[in-house]
């Protein structure tokens, strides 16, 4: 546990290994409601306004790559209970969590700090993260924490409900793109992952980040920000802070979805800043392709006038490029690749 930020930081001094290079530090941020990511009343998709909601989802996914959803049907008591469980979990004494500390990728549940690439990255994220596979829920649950006592039940219910919400949103996107209804329910969305980030109080938020700038590589991400802001999204060359709307989920388009849509929808760069005054927990649920699943522009969306702008790649390749970009091994923050013409270099 000695590497965990929450175990050693007294909130007074930022160690050198957490200081980001000047160009990658938080810098200037725009926080205006007028420019903020769209808020969509997703409950209305079940009624007469379905086509209006599909339109809003498509427009937000094209312009921002991000939107918030309200009236989503996941009970607010479940959101509160889930948040409570994770707050209790991170507050447990270190020796009750050491068993989970690992960088062994074959495990379904790990507690790590900064990133899986902790040992090789040049600078660290100011965060500790619980990483939980939830693809085969009953099996995965067996490796989840037993403390707090309700952990497995509550988090199991949360991932089930949020997984269903993710599929409902993908169904709207399917209709919006004009793809067959089951397009995303096959191996493209077989994997489910939950990352729970704990961002402790930070001595100097201007020099570091909780989560460095990145694109989510999967299909779609559903994030519960909680009460404390921190998420920022790149829009027209500026970082904008995503406003906190109690009970809302932040949804974002992953790079795999951008590939499938042949660039019609955009995955967007984002990051999380830290705070001097408050610690923050965010809960990110990801729907991901299986590693050998081929990610490519949907056949129905390409023709002579609209040639594929992305190469077909196994998801594992997309993920490796993404990870290399993430820790700065290749010179791209985008993690996106234009295909064909022999050009596989980052855009
Ligand atoms: C992520 C992510 C943002 C946050 O986990 O991919 O972007 O606010 N998290 O924690
Ligand atoms: Ni992300």
């Amino acid at each position: 546990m000695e590497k965990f930020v929450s175990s050693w930081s007294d909130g007074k001094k930022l160690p050198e290994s957490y200081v980001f290079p000047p160009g990658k530090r938080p810098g200037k941020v725009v926080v205006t409601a007028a420019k903020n990511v769209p808020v969509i009343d997703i409950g209305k998709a079940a009624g007469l306004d379905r086509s209006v909601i599909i339109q809003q989802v498509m427009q937000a996914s094209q312009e921002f790559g991000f939107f918030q959803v309200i009236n989503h049907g996941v009970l607010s008591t479940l959101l509160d209970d889930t948040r409570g469980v994770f707050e209790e979990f991170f507050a447990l004494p270190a020796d009750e969590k050491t068993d989970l500390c690992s960088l062994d990728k074959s495990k379904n549940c790990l507690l790590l700090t900064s990133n899986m690439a902790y040992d090789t990255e040049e600078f660290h994220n100011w965060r500790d993260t619980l990483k939980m596979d939830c693809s085969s829920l009953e099996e995965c649950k067996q490796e989840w924490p037993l403390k707090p006592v309700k952990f497995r039940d509550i988090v199991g219910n949360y991932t089930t409900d949020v997984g269903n919400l993710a599929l409902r949103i993908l169904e709207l996107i399917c209709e919006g793109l004009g793809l067959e209804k089951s397009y995303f329910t096959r191996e493209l969305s077989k994997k489910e992952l939950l990352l729970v980030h704990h961002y402790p109080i930070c001595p100097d938020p201007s020099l570091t980040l909780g989560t460095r700038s990145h694109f989510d590589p999967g299909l779609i991400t559903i994030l519960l920000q909680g009460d404390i802001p921190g998420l920022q999204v790149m829009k027209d060359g500026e970082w904008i802070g995503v406003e906190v709307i109690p009970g809302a989920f932040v949804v974002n388009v992953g790079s795999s979805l951008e590939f499938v849509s042949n660039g019609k929808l955009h995955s967007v760069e984002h990051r999380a800043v830290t705070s001097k005054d408050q610690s923050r927990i965010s809960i990110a649920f990801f729907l991901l392709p299986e590693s050998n699943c081929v990610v490519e522009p949907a056949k129905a969306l390409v023709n002579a006038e609209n040639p594929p702008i992305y190469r077909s790649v196994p998801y594992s390749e997309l993920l490796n490029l993404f990870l290399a970009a993430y820790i700065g091994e290749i010179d791209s923050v985008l993690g996106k690749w234009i295909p064909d013409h022999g050009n596989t270099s980052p855009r």
Side-chain angles (χ1 to χ4, degrees):
M1 286 301 286
E2 74 278 6
K3 287 178 178 167
F4 285 76
V5 179
S6 50
S7 308
W8 55 256
S9 175
D10 58 3
K12 294 211 175 84
K13 186 173 170 2
L14 188 73
E16 201 56 36
S17 58
Y18 286 83
V19 175
F20 278 44
K24 296 190 159 82
R25 293 178 194 166
K28 196 166 156 270
V29 177
V30 180
V31 191
T32 54
K35 287 192 74 169
N36 227 292
V37 313
V39 180
I40 301 178
D41 183 344
I42 204 87
K44 286 193 177 153
L48 293 175
D49 286 334
R50 187 169 179 87
S51 58
V52 176
I53 300 303
I54 291 176
Q55 192 52 40
Q56 290 178 3
V57 168
M58 294 301 285
Q59 194 171 345
S61 303
Q62 284 163 24
E63 282 179 23
F64 285 82
F66 266 83
F67 51 95
Q68 303 214 49
V69 291
I70 53 169
N71 193 12
H72 42 64
V74 183
L75 293 179
S76 62
T77 45
L78 182 57
L79 302 187
D80 293 345
D81 289 350
T82 307
R83 172 160 303 286
V85 158
F86 289 128
E87 275 167 9
E88 267 187 66
F89 172 81
F90 280 108
L92 286 172
D95 61 357
E96 301 211 30
K97 292 178 286 197
T98 37
D99 285 358
L100 289 166
C101 300
S102 168
L103 290 176
D104 176 356
K105 284 192 189 133
S106 69
K107 292 202 169 186
N108 287 329
C109 185
L110 317 168
L111 187 58
L112 57 106
T113 188
S114 183
N115 287 306
M116 290 293 276
Y118 182 89
D119 291 330
T120 50
E121 65 189 6
E122 280 172 40
F123 47 92
H124 304 308
N125 288 345
W126 187 263
R127 70 175 190 192
D128 301 325
T129 294
L130 182 65
K131 178 172 186 269
M132 304 160 76
D133 193 334
C134 20
S135 314
S136 318
L137 192 54
E138 288 314 313
E139 197 186 315
C140 293
K141 255 189 190 175
Q142 302 310 315
E143 290 182 38
W144 290 3
L146 281 164
K147 273 195 179 176
V149 276
K150 290 200 176 142
F151 189 107
R152 292 184 181 179
D153 282 348
I154 289 176
V155 179
N157 291 342
Y158 180 84
T159 57
T160 303
D161 286 5
V162 174
N164 288 335
L165 172 65
L167 289 173
R168 269 166 52 211
I169 296 171
L170 282 175
E171 216 173 278
L172 301 175
I173 291 176
C174 242
E175 280 179 52
L177 288 170
L179 295 173
E180 57 180 290
K181 218 174 160 185
S182 63
Y183 198 88
F184 293 113
T185 55
R186 297 178 303 221
E187 70 267 35
L188 273 169
S189 63
K190 270 276 171 332
K191 279 198 77 77
E192 296 178 17
L193 178 72
L194 195 68
L195 295 184
V196 188
H197 305 297
H198 175 221
Y199 302 104
I201 286 176
C202 179
D204 192 343
S206 71
L207 296 178
T208 191
L209 283 164
T211 293
R212 69 194 65 188
S213 160
H214 67 285
F215 294 78
D216 289 356
L219 212 49
I220 194 164
T221 307
I222 314 271
L223 180 92
L224 188 62
Q225 280 224 88
D227 305 333
I228 295 154
L231 176 66
Q232 298 181 347
V233 171
M234 178 55 88
K235 172 82 170 114
D236 303 329
E238 287 182 313
W239 286 107
I240 57 171
V242 177
E243 71 176 315
V244 164
I245 302 176
F249 286 109
V250 180
V251 181
N252 92 58
V253 172
S255 297
S256 299
L257 183 52
E258 176 168 331
F259 268 52
V260 170
S261 74
N262 200 28
K264 185 156 188 202
L265 309 183
H266 294 290
S267 67
V268 165
E269 207 179 345
H270 56 283
R271 65 185 191 182
V273 294
T274 59
S275 157
K276 230 176 156 39
D277 313 308
Q278 290 164 302
S279 64
R280 171 175 179 254
I281 287 178
S282 68
I283 307 171
F285 175 89
F286 303 84
L287 268 191
L288 310 166
E290 285 191 306
S291 59
N292 54 1
C293 169
V294 173
V295 181
E296 61 185 359
K299 299 269 186 306
L301 302 181
V302 297
N303 53 39
E305 286 96 66
N306 298 295
I309 63 164
Y310 298 108
R311 188 163 57 95
S312 306
V313 286
Y315 178 67
S316 54
E317 191 179 321
L318 204 146
L319 184 63
N320 284 340
L321 291 169
F322 158 83
L323 292 171
Y326 189 69
I327 62 165
E329 261 175 24
I330 57 175
D331 188 21
S332 166
V333 286
L334 286 176
K336 298 178 181 179
W337 287 268
I338 300 184
D340 301 332
H341 328 299
N343 176 10
T344 55
S345 52
R347 194 159 71 185

